[in-house]
Amino acid sequence: MDSLTQNAPDQQSEQRIALLTAKVAELSEANRSLVNTQMLVEAMLDNIPDRIYFKDAQSRFVKISKALAKRLGLSNPDDAVGKTDFDFHPPEKAREFYEDEQRIIKTGESLINKVEKHVRKSGEVAWSSTTKVPLRSRDGTVVGIVTNN
């Protein structure tokens, strides 16, 4: 009887160890996948000449490309994090951007190929085609936007 009662806890311990080992392997693979995805996103944001950015539901920058950082006069894209267009553009232009973004966040409908006029600090006029799409959580809730122009 003693050997039976001693084997039962040993078998339970072995099962727990096996489950934990499997969970650690699963989490390690998920971590490798996330690291790879982060590397790809960083490569895109660092090398593509398009101005790409992600914003949260309050229209604050979360992540921007090097091309956009350069356009905004920033040496480091991370310097834009937490800021809004009101920190970089004249109030009327920032208000236009904000209203477009908030409409996307409220409706979940994308803004595709909007032609926008930009007057640079030098006075030079530039035009861009802007696409803004909702950024959704896994449950479908709009949590921000991603933009390419």
Side-chain angles (χ1 to χ4, degrees):
M1 183 114 168
D2 282 348
S3 67
L4 284 177
T5 56
Q6 285 180 341
N7 285 342
D10 288 340
Q11 287 175 341
Q12 286 178 347
S13 294
E14 287 179 24
Q15 287 175 338
R16 286 185 188 147
I17 290 170
L19 287 172
L20 287 172
T21 301
K23 191 62 168 173
V24 167
E26 178 186 333
L27 291 172
S28 294
E29 179 56 34
N31 188 53
R32 277 190 291 279
S33 178
L34 285 172
V35 167
N36 187 52
T37 299
Q38 181 181 9
M39 182 185 69
L40 294 171
V41 169
E42 291 291 335
M44 177 186 67
L45 292 175
D46 288 349
N47 296 296
I48 290 182
D50 292 349
R51 292 172 303 278
I52 300 169
Y53 58 86
F54 298 86
K55 286 186 175 179
D56 64 17
Q58 289 75 42
S59 293
R60 294 178 298 219
F61 290 104
V62 175
K63 193 87 172 148
I64 72 170
S65 65
K66 280 189 176 180
L68 180 58
K70 182 178 177 182
R71 173 65 59 89
L72 295 176
L74 302 173
S75 58
N76 185 339
D78 292 338
D79 293 342
V81 174
K83 296 183 178 176
T84 71
D85 286 311
F86 289 94
D87 295 303
F88 301 106
H89 300 286
E92 63 279 355
K93 199 65 176 169
R95 170 72 46 205
E96 176 188 342
F97 297 156
Y98 178 81
E99 289 173 358
D100 285 344
E101 292 161 1
Q102 291 303 303
R103 186 171 37 258
I104 292 163
I105 290 164
K106 285 178 181 59
T107 67
E109 295 177 14
S110 299
L111 176 67
I112 308 293
N113 293 329
K114 178 182 179 184
V115 176
E116 295 178 325
K117 178 182 178 180
H118 304 275
V119 180
R120 297 189 178 150
K121 291 178 182 177
S122 66
E124 177 188 0
V125 175
W127 296 88
S128 68
S129 173
T130 300
T131 294
K132 297 182 180 191
V133 298
L135 187 59
R136 298 179 185 274
S137 65
R138 289 190 186 268
D139 70 1
T141 304
V142 177
V143 295
I145 63 157
V146 61
T147 301
N148 179 24
N149 68 14

